[in-house]
Amino acid sequence: MGTILLFFIPLLFSPLVFSGFLEYDQDVLLSQDWTHAGRVDPSEPLELTFALKQQNIDLLRETLSRVSDPDSAQYGKHLSLQEVASLVRPSELTQKVVQRWLQTHGISNCRTVHTQDFLQCTMTAEVAEVLLPGSRFNRYIREGQSIVRSSAPYSVHDDVHQHLDFVGGLHRVPPREKYVNLKRTQSKAGVHLGVTPAILRARYNLTAADVGSAQNNSQAVAQFLEQYYHPADLAEFMNMFGRTFQHRSEVDRVVGTQGGGKAGLEASLDIEYIMSTGANISTWVFTNPGRHESQEPFLQWMVLLSNMTDLPWVHTISYGDDEDSLSAAYMMRINTEFMKAGVRGISLLFASGDSGAGCRHLGKDQNTFRPSFPASSPYVTTVGGTSFKNPFKVTYEVTDYISGGGFSNVFKMPDYQASAVEGYLKSVKVTLPPQSYFNTSGRAYPDIAALSDNYWVVSNRVPIPWVSGTSASTPVVGGMLSLINGQRLAKGLPALGFLNPRLYKRKGQGLFDVTEGCHLGCLDEQVQGKGFCAAPSWDPVTGWGTPNYPALLAVLQSE
């Protein structure tokens, strides 16, 4: 089990006087969906997260490449958390400058993590506004959820700025509860076969024997945005749909705070399908670890990963934001956190989103596609969505029109996918959207896909049909990777870790290629609602395709 190490730091440095300020860009303007509920009381306690500058980021990136490349002599030689900490730990100067800065403002109630690159400090709103000039903390409410954020950009002294990546808890706000949208649709005939564990196992060639058995294997889902699962729903789901294969009906560990009230549909979907595809494998749930109004749940989850010595090998996450709503500094630092997970042998899978290519209005008659983060990160495996060609039969798959995909406007295309993406752009050049809509040199996603349309879910003890979204396909792929990890671990091989370099080198081996269908784009005269289209080999709608489990197992357990 994981160990959480919380250190209270005595800040005993002499006060220094700083001059000059450098303003940080506000990461996200507060959405109009949030209702302003007034200024917070000056004595209101806040918890802010300080992301300290790390060392050896280039070496970390090189290490990730070596341990993830199956042709490298270092493949699979993952690092321990202590080794990661030794690599990236902030310099003594950085730690002293930041601690001294906090000390001069009377801030002493701080926790750090194993890697010492995050500080989480409690202070009053009054102290926070002095510490970060320009900030003004207010309470905002949306659909019963309350958060505390600053309504204005903040500044830090020049001397401190060079030692910080960002301060969390000021600007970024949770996306809507159903960012990765769950649509409920009904076929024209009024009846639908519906995707269940049995349908998935039939389509992806999983037999009753394809269940977990390794004692040292585990998997996890991470849930934010006030989403919770109910144990009774999971038990009922397995009773209804899990009778043909060995499975578990209980989560082994919950990390964070399980809220009360109704179960969330997305949370129910995540846990039910990772545990029915990755059947009989120990499963954890990371749930809303950021419970204080000033905390960011996603950031809190990232901090936890830096602080737990033992973690599940596979994590699936149905969460994201528009790239353009986040600062580059924030996304770059989150990418470093993803790299830290990858060098430890952890596979991070993110849903690609449910808005197709997305659309951003730039001005009069000018639009562009809108990529999503973390789906666009070069250091995670992003999962798109498909539908059955014939919804009444277990047939081949075509694009689900909502499947998120495209090209990052922030991150350059990683070397591991350059050849595959170049091949796609050349093969479909005539039918591509205008180049003004996307960045041909950006990180392209998704990497892989699975069925995302018309699932059965049990939520609040009720079986619910027609639930769709890449938040369904992501735990399905995650569960299968967990099964493969189990086979590898039983042979004495390391866990898969960061999958992408291997996935792209194998050029779709072990996967069903999806070659039909297009996803959504901008509703304008130029693209007329169409984004990108599927094509042979890799494409920015379904990646390399969907798993053919026995073939994928053969490809991924061979080394």
Side-chain angles (χ1 to χ4, degrees), residues 267-282:
S268 303
L269 174 67
D270 288 346
I271 197 65
E272 289 166 9
Y273 279 92
I274 197 171
M275 290 186 68
S276 54
T277 309
N280 205 42
I281 294 174
S282 175

Side-chain angles (χ1 to χ4, degrees), residues 47-51 154 166-172 294 296 299:
E47 182 171 297
L48 301 183
T49 300
F50 299 86
Y154 64 96
F166 64 85
V167 181
L170 281 96
H171 295 138
R172 280 173 299 278
S294 62
E296 301 172 33
L299 182 58

Side-chain angles (χ1 to χ4, degrees), residues 355-378:
S355 302
C359 188
R360 185 184 184 195
H361 183 59
L362 300 178
K364 185 178 180 182
D365 300 326
Q366 187 178 5
N367 296 319
T368 185
F369 293 152
R370 195 170 206 175
S372 170
F373 180 82
S376 65
S377 169

Side-chain angles (χ1 to χ4, degrees), residues 304-545:
L304 275 175
L305 295 190
S306 279
N307 211 29
M308 300 182 74
T309 53
D310 299 306
L311 285 167
W313 294 114
V314 172
H315 296 245
T316 73
I317 304 98
S318 303
Y319 179 89
D321 253 325
D322 297 324
E323 260 189 1
D324 56 83
S325 72
L326 301 168
S327 74
Y330 172 80
M331 290 187 285
M332 293 296 185
R333 174 55 184 266
I334 295 301
N335 273 347
T336 301
E337 299 308 306
F338 293 153
M339 286 192 280
K340 285 163 59 180
V343 297
R344 295 173 65 189
I346 296 167
S347 302
L348 298 178
L349 278 65
F350 278 85
S352 69
D354 289 359
S355 302
C359 188
R360 185 184 184 195
H361 183 59
L362 300 178
K364 185 178 180 182
D365 300 326
Q366 187 178 5
N367 296 319
T368 185
F369 293 152
R370 195 170 206 175
S372 170
F373 180 82
S376 65
S377 169
Y379 307 109
V380 303
T381 299
T382 304
V383 183
T386 61
S387 303
F388 280 125
K389 176 67 173 179
N390 182 340
F392 297 96
K393 295 181 180 179
V394 179
T395 59
Y396 70 92
E397 294 161 73
V398 298
T399 295
D400 187 348
Y401 68 93
I402 64 171
S403 179
F407 296 77
S408 173
N409 290 322
V410 178
F411 312 114
K412 70 177 184 179
M413 187 180 299
D415 291 342
Y416 63 71
Q417 69 169 186
S419 175
V421 179
E422 182 183 357
Y424 171 80
L425 293 175
K426 285 182 178 179
S427 69
V428 298
K429 186 175 182 180
V430 177
T431 58
L432 279 173
Q435 288 203 6
S436 60
Y437 279 74
F438 66 102
N439 173 25
T440 56
S441 62
R443 151 57 161 154
Y445 69 97
D447 306 299
I448 195 169
L451 285 162
S452 57
D453 192 34
N454 292 332
Y455 276 63
W456 280 91
V457 178
V458 173
S459 189
N460 299 299
R461 305 300 296 274
V462 177
I464 301 172
W466 310 315
V467 178
S468 304
T470 53
S471 48
S473 55
T474 306
V476 166
V477 173
M480 280 186 266
L481 293 181
S482 292
L483 290 176
I484 294 170
N485 267 340
Q487 295 290 327
R488 290 179 60 85
L489 294 169
K491 289 185 171 185
L493 296 172
L496 289 167
F498 178 44
L499 184 64
N500 291 11
R502 186 165 187 164
L503 189 65
Y504 282 81
K505 280 202 170 184
R506 296 297 172 259
K507 299 181 179 179
Q509 287 182 312
L511 301 169
F512 294 117
D513 197 5
V514 179
T515 60
E516 291 184 26
C518 308
H519 66 180
L520 298 168
C522 296
L523 288 169
D524 57 25
E525 289 187 11
Q526 282 206 293
V527 298
Q528 299 180 18
K530 189 170 77 172
F532 299 99
C533 296
S537 196
W538 181 90
D539 59 68
V541 189
T542 62
W544 285 105

